Amino acid sequence: MKIYNLTNTISNYNKELDYTLDKNSAEIVVVGGKKINLRSFPKLKGIFKTGVGIDNLPFEDAEKRGIKIQLPSYETKEIIYNETASFSLYLILKFVYRETGVFSSWEKNNRKSLEDYGVLVMGTGKIGSKLIDRLSNLCNVKTYDPLDNSEEELEYLLKRADIVSLHMPLIRETEHFFDHKKLALLKNGALLINTSRGPIIQEDALYNELNNGRINASIDVFWKEPYNGKLTTIKSKNIYLTPHVASTCREFLEGLAKDFLHFYNNLM
């Protein structure tokens, strides 16, 4: 059974299997964040997703053609949730302790204490709730979820947050959710973290805020990946970009490889 990779996430695993660069002969596609055009794969029998986001999966069209779609197992999903929450915590701590002092001159900066930071976690699902658990004894945590809170509440929360961490799924209601109006509500010097989905933020609006140096951002997910867009042209210290690695630990990759092999064998 021939396999076509739309992502290199687990390309170093299961190398004994039969991989192809020919879409016309592919029977299984391994997909990450890219959308898949089923018309390009006439012999397709299965799609394996290497993450938990489902916004790029063609469920309806796949069902019509009898193509099976497989997400990671429960055990692998838990690794994704935990590691993404931990990576988000790392981005928060990296920002808080970014300028502690200068060793060569023994200079100590007068910094704000961690417990005095206000962190707004947006999205209280699997990942957001785990981040909340990690932060609850460290700083002042507030939460917002589009399913539970109103836009009026969000305006109040955004104006007062030192750090905003996004953990919402990409659906029609959340695409470009963070536009220029919402970004303008952030206080000067605030940090915006996105480890969820790139299109939740409007790219041009974020670029304008970062380019004028008003806010900070740590971005791990993008509008098109690999990303080579306008954020890469910003040279100031107020932006930190990572290549969609929030969940990419060894255990996650090994779990995906095991899940894929199980899916492959079931399709045989």
Side-chain angles (χ1 to χ4, degrees):
M1 188 169 292
K2 295 186 179 297
I3 305 159
Y4 188 95
N5 279 327
L6 271 175
T7 175
N8 290 322
T9 303
I10 54 173
S11 59
N12 289 326
Y13 296 84
N14 301 323
K15 291 184 177 181
E16 72 282 0
L17 301 180
D18 189 9
Y19 292 88
T20 181
L21 297 176
D22 178 19
K23 293 181 179 180
N24 290 313
S25 65
E27 297 165 274
I28 301 178
V29 168
V30 181
V31 61
K34 294 179 180 178
K35 289 187 176 181
I36 177 173
N37 182 357
L38 292 186
R39 288 175 292 183
S40 300
F41 298 91
K43 294 185 177 180
L44 200 61
K45 297 179 180 178
I47 299 171
F48 181 79
K49 178 65 189 280
T50 61
V52 293
I54 60 173
D55 50 274
N56 65 324
L57 297 177
F59 287 102
E60 186 175 337
D61 291 339
E63 184 177 2
K64 290 177 181 178
R65 283 181 48 182
I67 299 169
K68 294 182 179 180
I69 296 179
Q70 181 66 49
L71 297 174
S73 65
Y74 171 81
E75 292 79 11
T76 304
K77 285 181 180 179
E78 281 296 302
I79 297 171
I80 295 172
Y81 301 147
N82 278 306
E83 194 63 16
T84 303
S86 294
F87 189 80
S88 301
L89 175 59
Y90 154 73
L91 294 175
I92 291 170
L93 295 176
K94 183 179 185 297
F95 175 73
V96 170
Y97 296 110
R98 65 197 182 283
E99 294 180 353
T100 56
V102 180
F103 179 77
S104 60
S105 61
W106 213 250
E107 178 184 354
K108 302 173 180 65
N109 292 337
N110 185 14
R111 70 173 186 267
K112 181 177 178 177
S113 69
L114 175 59
E115 65 180 12
D116 281 341
Y117 273 85
V119 178
L120 174 60
V121 178
M122 294 186 61
T124 57
K126 297 290 187 180
I127 296 171
S129 60
K130 289 180 182 297
L131 177 60
I132 293 165
D133 289 342
R134 286 160 169 75
L135 288 172
S136 58
N137 292 322
L138 298 177
C139 51
N140 181 17
V141 182
K142 302 293 184 183
T143 65
Y144 173 87
D145 195 294
L147 297 177
D148 301 322
N149 304 97
S150 67
E151 288 265 343
E152 291 75 18
E153 291 176 271
L154 179 58
E155 180 175 344
Y156 176 86
L157 293 167
L158 288 177
K159 286 181 177 179
R160 287 156 180 79
D162 297 303
I163 299 170
V164 177
S165 191
L166 303 183
H167 302 282
M168 300 185 294
L170 179 60
I171 55 177
R172 182 171 56 84
E173 291 78 10
T174 61
E175 186 169 7
H176 292 169
F177 184 86
F178 248 91
D179 55 15
H180 70 279
K181 291 182 180 179
K182 290 189 179 71
L183 288 171
L185 294 173
L186 294 175
K187 63 168 67 172
N188 291 343
L191 171 67
L192 179 64
I193 296 172
N194 192 7
T195 58
S196 53
R197 284 291 182 268
I200 289 174
I201 305 175
Q202 194 176 65
E203 184 180 11
D204 288 343
L206 179 60
Y207 172 82
N208 291 336
E209 289 284 3
L210 291 171
N211 200 42
N212 66 30
R214 198 184 73 79
I215 65 170
N216 302 275
S218 293
I219 307 295
D220 185 56
V221 289
F222 300 89
W223 302 265
K224 183 179 180 181
E225 298 180 359
Y227 181 73
N228 192 32
K230 58 175 55 181
L231 294 189
T232 62
T233 66
I234 300 173
K235 302 302 180 184
S236 80
K237 294 181 178 180
N238 65 333
I239 181 170
Y240 181 62
L241 306 178
T242 49
H244 203 150
V245 294
S247 63
T248 310
C249 62
R250 183 183 305 110
E251 291 80 3
F252 162 59
L253 297 176
E254 290 173 350
L256 281 180
K258 181 180 178 181
D259 294 342
F260 175 70
L261 189 58
H262 181 72
F263 178 58
Y264 175 89
N265 288 331
N266 283 342
L267 283 179
M268 290 290 287

